[in-house]
C-alpha cells in the first residue's frame, strides 16, 4: 500500500493554508472549462455514518465546507444513524439517482462488496473518507483517513510507559462494533501493552457516543467499584467524557482515582485533558473534506490518484493540550 502522510493537515495553521489552496483550485475549475454553467457542477452523494460524536460533527462540517456550491459541487448528504444497512441503502439511492460520485464514511468494514460492485457497474466512482472497508481495493477509487492502528499503538505506548510497571486494572470503552477504528485501535493498543502489568478486565462497546460511554462505565463501576478500576481506555473522546460523568456520579475523581486515555482530541476532550479529568489523548484529525473533494475532482477528470492517503496525528498530555487548546480548529 502506498502510504502518504499529509502531515500538514495535522497542524491548525497549515490546515487553514491547505483549505485556501484547495478552494482557490476549485474556484478556478468552472471558469477553466469555458462555459461556467451548471453543467460544471459535480453532484456528490455523501453517506455519513451518523452524528455520534464531536469528531463526527467536525468531519461533517469539513465535508460540507469542501463540497460547497462555490467549489463546484452539489452535495446530497445522508447520515445513517450508524446503521450499516441504512447506509448501504443510502448508497444504493445515490446510484439510482445517477450522481457523479459517491463519498462514503463506512460505519463498518464488512458488507460493502455488492453495493460497491453496483456503483462500479453504473460507472460511478466511489471515494472513501475516514473509515476503511474490507472489500477489494478495485471497488473504490481512493481513501483518505487516519491510521487507526497507529493511534491505538500511541495510546498503548503511553499507558505502558505510565502504568505498565505496576498492577493496573483496565476497562475499555470500544467504538462501534465492526468499525475500522474500533478494530484497529483495539489491536494497536493491545500490541503496545503486551508484556506489561496492565490487565484488561473488561471491554464493551459504547458506540462512540457520550451516553454509550457513560452507561457502559456505570456498569463497570457497579461490577468492580471505583477502587477496582485503575484505567479506562476509551476509543474516542465522547465515550471518555461519558465515563467522566459516571465516575463523578459515583463519587470518584476522574484522572486521579481512575486514569483515562482517549482518542480524537476534539474541543471537549482537550478541555477535559487540560482540566486533569483525562490523562492522555491521541489525536484523530476530522478535517478530511478538502482532500476528499480534491480526490473526487481528480478521479472525475480521469487523473490517477493513490489508493490511500493517510493524515498524520499528534498526541497530547496535559501540558501539551494547554499549549494548543486555544488554537485548535475543532
Ligand atoms: O474517532 C469517533 C467517531 O471514524 C475516526 O468515529 C472516526 C471515529 C472517531 O465517531 O469519534
Amino acid at each position: 500500500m502506498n502510504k502518504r502522510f499529509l502531515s500538514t493537515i495535522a497542524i491548525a495553521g497549515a490546515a487553514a493554508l491547505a483549505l485556501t489552496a484547495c478552494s482557490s483550485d476549485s474556484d478556478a475549475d468552472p471558469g477553466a472549462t469555458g462555459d461556467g454553467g451548471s453543467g460544471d457542477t459535480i453532484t456528490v452523494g455523501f453517506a455519513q455514518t451518523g452524528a455520534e460524536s464531536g469528531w463526527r460533527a467536525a468531519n461533517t462540517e469539513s465535508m460540507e465546507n469542501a463540497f460547497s456550491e462555490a467549489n463546484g459541487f452539489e452535495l446530497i448528504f445522508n447520515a445513517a444513524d450508524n446503521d450499516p444497512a441504512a447506509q448501504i441503502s443510502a448508497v444504493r439511492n445515490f446510484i439510482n439517482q445517477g450522481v457523479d460520485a459517491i463519498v462514503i464514511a463506512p460505519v463498518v468494514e464488512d458488507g460493502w462488496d455488492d453495493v460497491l460492485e453496483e456503483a462500479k457497474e453504473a460507472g460511478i466512482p466511489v471515494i472513501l473518507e475516514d473509515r476503511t472497508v474490507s472489500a477489494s481495493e478495485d471497488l473504490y477509487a481512493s481513501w483518505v483517513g487516519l491510521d487507526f492502528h497507529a493511534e491505538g499503538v500511541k495510546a498503548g505506548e503511553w499507558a505502558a510507559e505510565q502504568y505498565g510497571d505496576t498492577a493496573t486494572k483496565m476497562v475499555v470503552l470500544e467504538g462501534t462494533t465492526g468499525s475500522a477504528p474500533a478494530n484497529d485501535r483495539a489491536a494497536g493498543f493491545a500490541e503496545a501493552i503486551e508484556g506489561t502489568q496492565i490487565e484488561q478486565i473488561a471491554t464493551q462497546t459504547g458506540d462512540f457516543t457520550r451516553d454509550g460511554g457513560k452507561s457502559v462505565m456505570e456498569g463497570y463501576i457497579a461490577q468492580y467499584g471505583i477502587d477496582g478500576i485503575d484505567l479506562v481506555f476509551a476509543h474516542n473522546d465522547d465515550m471518555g467524557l461519558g465515563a467522566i460523568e459516571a465516575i463523578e456520579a459515583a463519587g470518584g475523581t476522574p484522572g486521579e482515582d481512575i486514569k483515562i486515555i482517549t482518542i480524537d482530541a476534539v474541543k471537549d476532550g482537550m478541555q477535559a485533558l487540560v482540566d486533569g479529568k483525562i490523562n492522555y489523548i491521541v489525536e484523530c484529525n476530522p478535517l478530511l473534506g478538502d482532500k476528499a473533494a480534491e480526490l473526487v475532482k481528480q478521479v472525475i477528470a480521469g487523473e490517477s490518484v493513490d489508493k490511500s492517503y493517510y493524515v498524520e496525528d499528534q498526541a497530547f498530555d496535559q501540558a501539551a493540550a494547554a499549549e494548543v487548546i486555544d488554537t485548535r480548529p475543532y
Side-chain angles (χ1 to χ4, degrees):
M1 201 183 319
N2 196 349
K3 267 200 179 190
R4 174 174 302 176
F5 282 93
L6 305 171
S7 51
T8 48
I9 297 182
I11 306 160
L17 284 180
L19 184 68
T20 314
C22 184
S23 39
S24 58
D25 275 346
S26 314
D27 287 348
D29 280 350
T33 63
D35 54 25
S38 60
D40 293 323
T41 301
I42 301 171
T43 303
V44 172
F46 173 39
Q48 179 60 290
T49 58
E52 69 278 2
S53 65
W55 190 99
R56 191 59 56 193
N59 179 251
T60 294
E61 196 185 325
S62 167
M63 294 292 285
E64 284 175 344
N65 288 340
F67 287 90
S68 65
E69 266 177 49
N71 288 345
F73 294 100
E74 185 195 337
L75 183 67
I76 310 173
F77 178 80
N78 179 275
D81 202 16
N82 286 288
D83 175 348
Q87 193 176 39
I88 285 171
S89 63
V91 171
R92 217 160 251 141
N93 280 339
F94 293 149
I95 297 171
N96 292 336
Q97 285 172 61
V99 296
D100 298 317
I102 296 173
V103 180
I104 310 172
V107 176
V108 290
E109 292 189 89
D110 294 343
W112 286 101
D113 303 68
D114 290 352
V115 76
L116 291 180
E117 193 71 61
E118 287 161 38
K120 195 172 187 183
E121 274 163 25
I124 302 173
V126 172
I127 308 293
L128 305 177
E129 72 111 17
D130 165 25
R131 301 181 187 176
T132 50
V133 294
S134 58
S136 159
E137 282 188 358
D138 303 342
L139 295 176
Y140 57 88
S142 188
W143 166 87
V144 58
L146 302 306
D147 189 336
F148 304 129
H149 183 268
E151 292 169 351
V153 169
K154 272 188 212 171
E157 281 175 348
W158 193 81
E161 199 182 290
Q162 300 292 314
Y163 314 119
D165 293 340
T166 39
T168 301
K169 304 241 181 261
M170 176 180 74
V171 296
V172 179
L173 300 170
E174 285 170 34
T176 300
T177 304
S179 70
N183 291 339
D184 298 351
R185 288 171 183 171
F189 194 97
E191 279 168 36
I193 63 161
E194 217 180 277
T196 71
Q197 291 197 55
I198 300 170
E199 180 200 354
Q200 180 176 305
I201 56 170
T203 179
Q204 206 179 308
T205 183
D207 269 326
F208 280 130
T209 67
R210 207 172 285 207
D211 284 354
K214 185 179 178 194
S215 69
V216 173
M217 193 66 204
E218 283 166 354
Y220 289 155
I221 293 170
Q223 192 172 351
Y224 304 103
I226 296 279
D227 294 343
I229 303 167
D230 302 309
L231 174 65
V232 175
F233 171 41
H235 286 182
N236 78 343
D237 287 354
D238 280 84
M239 292 190 295
L241 292 163
I244 288 172
E245 289 177 31
I247 294 166
E248 285 177 339
T253 306
E256 288 183 24
D257 298 333
I258 299 180
K259 313 289 186 193
I260 303 177
I261 299 174
T262 68
I263 296 177
D264 273 358
V266 294
K267 273 243 151 58
D268 291 355
M270 291 292 272
Q271 187 59 55
L273 178 56
V274 170
D275 295 343
K277 296 181 178 193
I278 291 179
N279 304 83
Y280 195 67
I281 302 185
V282 175
E283 182 183 53
C284 180
N285 194 322
L287 305 181
L288 306 176
D290 285 336
K291 187 66 196 175
E294 186 191 347
L295 284 169
V296 166
K297 288 199 168 176
Q298 287 175 317
V299 168
I300 283 181
E303 292 169 25
S304 77
V305 295
D306 289 346
K307 264 301 158 187
S308 43
Y309 293 86
Y310 284 86
V311 175
E312 204 178 357
D313 292 315
Q314 309 174 60
F316 304 92
D317 61 12
Q318 190 178 27
E323 259 173 49
V324 300
I325 190 159
D326 292 334
T327 58
R328 306 254 316 152
Y330 56 88

